[in-house]
Coordinates of all heavy atoms in Angstrom, one line a residue:
R126 N -46.2 24.1 67.4 CA -46.5 23.5 66.1 C -45.9 22.1 66.0 O -45.8 21.4 64.9 CB -45.8 24.4 65.0 CG -46.3 25.8 64.9 CD -45.8 26.4 63.7 NE -46.0 27.9 63.7 CZ -45.5 28.7 62.9 NH1 -44.7 28.3 61.9 NH2 -45.8 30.1 63.1
T127 N -45.5 21.5 67.1 CA -44.8 20.2 67.0 C -45.9 19.1 66.8 O -45.5 17.9 66.6 CB -43.9 19.8 68.1 OG1 -44.5 20.2 69.3 CG2 -42.6 20.7 67.9
T128 N -47.1 19.4 67.0 CA -48.2 18.4 66.7 C -48.2 17.9 65.3 O -48.6 16.9 64.8 CB -49.6 18.8 67.1 OG1 -49.7 20.2 66.5 CG2 -49.7 19.0 68.7
R129 N -47.7 18.9 64.4 CA -47.5 18.6 63.0 C -46.3 17.6 62.7 O -46.3 17.1 61.6 CB -47.2 19.8 62.2 CG -48.4 20.8 62.3 CD -47.9 22.2 61.8 NE -47.4 22.2 60.4 CZ -48.1 22.4 59.4 NH1 -49.4 22.7 59.5 NH2 -47.7 22.4 58.2
E130 N -45.5 17.4 63.7 CA -44.4 16.5 63.5 C -44.6 15.0 64.0 O -45.1 14.9 65.1 CB -43.1 17.1 64.4 CG -42.9 18.5 64.1 CD -42.4 18.8 62.6 OE1 -41.8 17.9 62.0 OE2 -42.6 20.0 62.2
A131 N -44.3 14.1 63.2 CA -44.5 12.7 63.6 C -43.6 12.4 64.7 O -42.4 12.7 64.6 CB -44.4 11.8 62.4
D132 N -44.0 11.7 65.7 CA -43.1 11.1 66.7 C -42.4 12.2 67.6 O -41.4 11.9 68.1 CB -42.1 10.1 66.1 CG -42.7 9.1 65.3 OD1 -43.7 8.6 65.8 OD2 -42.1 8.7 64.3
F133 N -42.9 13.4 67.6 CA -42.2 14.5 68.4 C -42.6 14.2 69.9 O -43.9 14.2 70.1 CB -42.5 15.8 68.0 CG -41.6 16.9 68.8 CD1 -40.4 17.3 68.3 CD2 -42.1 17.4 70.0 CE1 -39.7 18.2 69.0 CE2 -41.3 18.3 70.6 CZ -40.1 18.6 70.2
D134 N -41.7 14.1 70.7 CA -42.0 13.6 72.1 C -41.3 14.6 73.0 O -40.1 14.5 73.3 CB -41.6 12.2 72.4 CG -41.9 11.7 73.9 OD1 -42.7 12.5 74.5 OD2 -41.2 10.7 74.2
C135 N -42.1 15.5 73.6 CA -41.5 16.5 74.6 C -40.8 15.7 75.7 O -39.7 16.2 76.3 CB -42.6 17.4 75.2 SG -43.1 18.7 74.1
A136 N -41.4 14.7 76.2 CA -40.9 14.0 77.5 C -39.5 13.5 77.3 O -38.8 13.2 78.2 CB -41.9 12.9 77.8
S137 N -39.0 13.2 75.9 CA -37.7 12.7 75.7 C -36.7 13.8 75.6 O -35.4 13.4 75.5 CB -37.8 11.9 74.5 OG -37.9 12.8 73.4
I138 N -37.0 15.1 75.9 CA -36.1 16.1 75.8 C -35.9 16.9 76.9 O -36.8 17.4 77.6 CB -36.5 17.0 74.5 CG1 -36.6 16.3 73.3 CG2 -35.6 18.2 74.4 CD1 -37.1 17.1 72.1
T139 N -34.6 17.0 77.4 CA -34.4 17.8 78.6 C -33.1 18.5 78.4 O -32.2 18.0 77.6 CB -34.2 17.0 79.9 OG1 -33.2 15.9 79.7 CG2 -35.5 16.2 80.3
L140 N -32.9 19.6 79.2 CA -31.6 20.2 79.1 C -30.5 19.3 79.8 O -30.9 18.8 80.9 CB -31.6 21.6 79.9 CG -32.7 22.5 79.3 CD1 -32.7 23.9 80.1 CD2 -32.4 22.9 77.8
P141 N -29.3 19.2 79.3 CA -28.3 18.5 80.0 C -28.1 19.0 81.4 O -28.0 20.2 81.6 CB -27.1 18.7 79.2 CG -27.5 18.9 77.8 CD -28.9 19.8 78.1
R142 N -28.1 18.1 82.3 CA -27.9 18.5 83.8 C -26.5 18.4 84.3 O -25.7 17.4 83.8 CB -28.8 17.5 84.6 CG -30.2 17.7 84.6 CD -30.8 18.0 85.9 NE -32.3 18.1 85.9 CZ -33.1 17.1 86.4 NH1 -32.7 16.0 87.0 NH2 -34.4 17.4 86.2
F143 N -26.2 19.2 85.3 CA -24.9 19.2 85.9 C -25.1 18.9 87.4 O -26.2 19.1 87.9 CB -24.1 20.5 85.7 CG -24.0 20.8 84.2 CD1 -24.4 22.1 83.8 CD2 -23.6 20.0 83.2 CE1 -24.4 22.6 82.4 CE2 -23.5 20.4 81.9 CZ -23.9 21.6 81.5
A144 N -24.0 18.7 88.1 CA -24.1 18.6 89.6 C -24.0 20.0 90.1 O -23.2 20.8 89.6 CB -22.9 17.7 90.1
V145 N -24.7 20.3 91.2 CA -24.7 21.6 91.8 C -24.8 21.4 93.3 O -25.3 20.5 93.9 CB -26.0 22.5 91.3 CG1 -27.3 21.7 91.7 CG2 -25.9 23.9 91.9
H146 N -24.0 22.2 94.0 CA -23.9 22.2 95.5 C -23.9 23.5 96.1 O -23.2 24.4 95.5 CB -22.7 21.4 95.9 CG -22.5 21.3 97.4 ND1 -23.3 20.5 98.2 CD2 -21.6 21.9 98.2 CE1 -22.9 20.7 99.4 NE2 -21.9 21.4 99.5
Q147 N -24.7 23.8 97.1 CA -24.6 25.1 97.7 C -23.7 25.0 98.9 O -23.9 24.2 99.8 CB -26.1 25.6 98.1 CG -26.1 27.0 98.8 CD -27.4 27.5 99.0 OE1 -28.4 27.2 98.4 NE2 -27.4 28.6 99.8
W148 N -22.8 25.8 98.9 CA -21.8 25.9 100.1 C -22.0 27.3 100.8 O -21.5 28.3 100.2 CB -20.3 25.6 99.6 CG -19.4 25.5 100.6 CD1 -19.5 24.8 101.8 CD2 -18.2 26.3 100.9 NE1 -18.4 25.0 102.6 CE2 -17.5 25.9 102.0 CE3 -17.5 27.3 100.1 CZ2 -16.4 26.5 102.5 CZ3 -16.4 27.8 100.5 CH2 -15.8 27.4 101.7
G149 N -22.6 27.3 101.7 CA -22.9 28.6 102.5 C -23.6 29.5 101.4 O -24.6 29.3 100.8
P150 N -23.0 30.6 101.2 CA -23.6 31.7 100.3 C -23.1 31.4 98.9 O -23.5 32.3 98.0 CB -23.1 33.0 100.8 CG -21.8 32.7 101.5 CD -21.9 31.3 102.0
F151 N -22.4 30.4 98.6 CA -21.9 30.2 97.2 C -22.5 28.9 96.6 O -22.8 28.0 97.2 CB -20.3 29.9 97.4 CG -19.7 31.0 98.1 CD1 -19.0 30.8 99.3 CD2 -19.6 32.3 97.6 CE1 -18.2 31.8 100.0 CE2 -18.9 33.4 98.3 CZ -18.2 33.0 99.5
L152 N -22.4 29.1 95.2 CA -22.9 28.0 94.4 C -21.7 27.3 93.8 O -20.8 27.9 93.2 CB -23.8 28.5 93.2 CG -25.2 29.1 93.7 CD1 -25.9 29.8 92.5 CD2 -26.1 28.0 94.2
L153 N -21.6 26.0 93.8 CA -20.6 25.3 93.1 C -21.3 24.4 92.1 O -22.4 23.7 92.3 CB -19.8 24.4 94.2 CG -19.1 25.0 95.3 CD1 -18.5 24.0 96.2 CD2 -18.2 26.1 94.9
V154 N -20.7 24.3 90.9 CA -21.2 23.5 89.8 C -20.0 22.6 89.3 O -18.9 23.0 89.3 CB -21.8 24.3 88.7 CG1 -22.0 23.5 87.5 CG2 -23.1 25.0 89.2
N155 N -20.5 21.4 89.0 CA -19.6 20.4 88.3 C -20.2 20.0 87.0 O -21.3 19.5 87.1 CB -19.2 19.2 89.2 CG -17.9 18.4 88.7 OD1 -17.9 18.2 87.4 ND2 -17.1 18.0 89.6
L156 N -19.5 20.3 86.0 CA -20.2 19.9 84.6 C -20.3 18.4 84.5 O -21.0 17.9 83.6 CB -19.4 20.6 83.5 CG -19.3 22.1 83.5 CD1 -18.5 22.6 82.3 CD2 -20.7 22.7 83.6
D157 N -19.6 17.6 85.2 CA -19.8 16.2 85.3 C -21.0 15.9 86.3 O -20.8 16.1 87.5 CB -18.5 15.5 85.9 CG -18.6 14.0 86.0 OD1 -19.8 13.5 85.8 OD2 -17.6 13.3 86.3
A158 N -22.1 15.5 85.8 CA -23.3 15.4 86.6 C -23.2 14.3 87.6 O -23.9 14.3 88.6 CB -24.5 15.0 85.7
S159 N -22.2 13.4 87.4 CA -22.1 12.3 88.5 C -21.2 12.6 89.6 O -21.0 11.8 90.4 CB -21.6 11.1 87.7 OG -20.2 11.2 87.2
A160 N -20.6 13.8 89.6 CA -19.6 14.1 90.6 C -20.2 14.3 92.0 O -21.3 14.9 92.1 CB -18.9 15.4 90.2
A161 N -19.5 13.8 93.0 CA -20.0 14.0 94.4 C -19.4 15.3 94.8 O -18.3 15.7 94.5 CB -19.5 12.8 95.2
P162 N -20.1 16.2 95.7 CA -19.6 17.4 96.1 C -18.3 17.2 97.0 O -18.2 16.1 97.5 CB -20.7 17.9 97.0 CG -21.9 17.2 96.7 CD -21.5 15.9 96.1
P163 N -17.4 18.1 96.9 CA -16.2 18.0 97.6 C -16.3 18.3 99.0 O -15.6 19.3 99.7 CB -15.3 19.1 96.9 CG -16.2 20.2 96.5 CD -17.6 19.4 96.2
L164 N -17.1 17.5 99.8 CA -17.4 17.9 101.2 C -16.4 17.9 102.1 O -16.2 18.7 103.0 CB -18.6 16.9 101.6 CG -19.9 17.0 100.8 CD1 -20.8 15.9 101.4 CD2 -20.4 18.4 100.9
E165 N -15.4 17.0 101.8 CA -14.3 16.7 102.7 C -13.4 18.0 102.7 O -12.9 18.5 103.7 CB -13.5 15.5 102.3 CG -12.3 15.3 103.2 CD -11.5 14.1 102.7 OE1 -12.0 13.2 101.9 OE2 -10.4 13.9 103.0
H166 N -13.2 18.5 101.5 CA -12.3 19.7 101.4 C -13.0 20.9 101.9 O -12.3 21.8 102.6 CB -11.9 19.9 99.8 CG -11.1 18.9 99.3 ND1 -10.2 18.2 100.1 CD2 -10.9 18.4 98.0 CE1 -9.5 17.3 99.3 NE2 -10.0 17.4 98.1
L167 N -14.3 21.0 101.7 CA -15.0 22.2 102.2 C -15.0 22.2 103.7 O -14.9 23.1 104.4 CB -16.4 22.3 101.6 CG -16.6 22.4 100.1 CD1 -17.9 22.3 99.6 CD2 -15.9 23.6 99.6
A168 N -15.1 20.9 104.3 CA -15.0 20.8 105.7 C -13.8 21.3 106.3 O -13.8 21.8 107.4 CB -15.4 19.3 106.1
T169 N -12.7 21.1 105.6 CA -11.4 21.6 106.1 C -11.4 23.1 106.2 O -11.0 23.6 107.3 CB -10.3 21.2 105.1 OG1 -10.3 19.7 105.1 CG2 -8.9 21.7 105.5
V170 N -12.0 23.7 105.3 CA -12.2 25.2 105.4 C -13.0 25.6 106.6 O -12.8 26.5 107.4 CB -12.7 25.8 104.2 CG1 -12.8 27.3 104.2 CG2 -11.7 25.4 102.9
E171 N -14.1 24.8 106.7 CA -15.1 25.1 107.8 C -14.4 24.9 109.1 O -14.8 25.6 110.1 CB -16.4 24.2 107.6 CG -17.2 24.6 106.4 CD -18.2 23.5 106.0 OE1 -18.5 22.6 106.8 OE2 -18.7 23.6 104.9
Q172 N -13.6 23.9 109.2 CA -12.8 23.7 110.5 C -11.9 24.9 110.7 O -11.8 25.2 112.0 CB -12.0 22.4 110.4 CG -12.9 21.2 110.5 CD -12.2 19.9 110.0 OE1 -11.0 19.9 109.8 NE2 -12.9 18.8 109.8
D173 N -11.3 25.4 109.8 CA -10.4 26.6 110.1 C -11.3 27.7 110.5 O -10.9 28.5 111.5 CB -9.8 27.2 108.8 CG -8.7 26.1 108.3 OD1 -8.3 25.3 109.1 OD2 -8.4 26.3 107.1
L174 N -12.6 27.9 110.0 CA -13.5 29.0 110.5 C -13.9 28.6 111.9 O -14.0 29.5 112.9 CB -14.7 29.1 109.6 CG -14.5 29.7 108.2 CD1 -15.7 29.5 107.4 CD2 -14.1 31.2 108.3
A175 N -14.2 27.4 112.2 CA -14.6 27.0 113.5 C -13.6 27.2 114.5 O -14.0 27.5 115.8 CB -15.0 25.5 113.5
G176 N -12.4 27.1 114.3 CA -11.4 27.3 115.1 C -11.3 28.8 115.6 O -10.8 29.1 116.7

Side-chain angles (χ1 to χ4, degrees):
R126 303 185 191 174
T127 48
T128 52
R129 297 163 59 91
E130 308 292 339
D132 301 327
F133 186 89
D134 178 19
C135 280
S137 68
I138 299 174
T139 56
L140 301 178
R142 285 236 186 110
F143 308 130
V145 60
H146 178 68
Q147 182 171 344
W148 183 53
F151 304 116
L152 294 171
L153 303 180
V154 167
N155 193 319
L156 301 181
D157 176 356
S159 67
L164 299 179
E165 184 184 339
H166 293 332
L167 300 175
T169 298
V170 179
E171 290 164 17
Q172 284 162 15
D173 291 341
L174 288 171

